[in-house]
Amino acid sequence: EATQAEKNSANMRSVYKGIESGDMSAMDGFVADDILDHDGPHGMAVKGRDSVKKIHTRIVENLVSSL
């Protein structure tokens, strides 16, 4: 049986793979609806899971378009 650390690592890999592929729904099971990300763009706080997902979507789109 997997340890909690192994489960946590697998969960994080799932979220990262979702972000890389553009499937932000991968965050839904792991990021709280009311998340407050204090490290948003330009040092601004990003409030709420949907807002965090939008930021990550923009980041991926910008990275892909710059290739």
Side-chain angles (χ1 to χ4, degrees), residues 2-45:
T3 66
Q4 188 61 48
E6 292 168 332
K7 291 176 188 176
N8 292 344
S9 292
N11 290 341
M12 287 308 302
R13 280 192 301 275
S14 171
V15 171
Y16 288 138
K17 285 181 184 178
I19 292 170
E20 289 172 357
S21 71
D23 179 13
M24 300 304 158
S25 68
M27 290 186 199
D28 292 347
F30 305 106
V31 177
D33 287 335
D34 62 350
I35 186 174
L36 178 57
D37 181 357
H38 295 279
D39 195 25
H42 310 290
M44 299 194 58

Side-chain angles (χ1 to χ4, degrees), residues 22-63:
D23 179 13
M24 300 304 158
S25 68
M27 290 186 199
D28 292 347
F30 305 106
V31 177
D33 287 335
D34 62 350
I35 186 174
L36 178 57
D37 181 357
H38 295 279
D39 195 25
H42 310 290
M44 299 194 58
V46 179
K47 299 176 184 177
R49 181 173 55 214
D50 288 339
S51 295
V52 170
K53 288 164 66 172
K54 286 178 188 175
I55 294 295
H56 283 286
T57 297
R58 283 192 219 135
I59 290 169
V60 170
E61 289 172 351
N62 287 335
L63 288 172

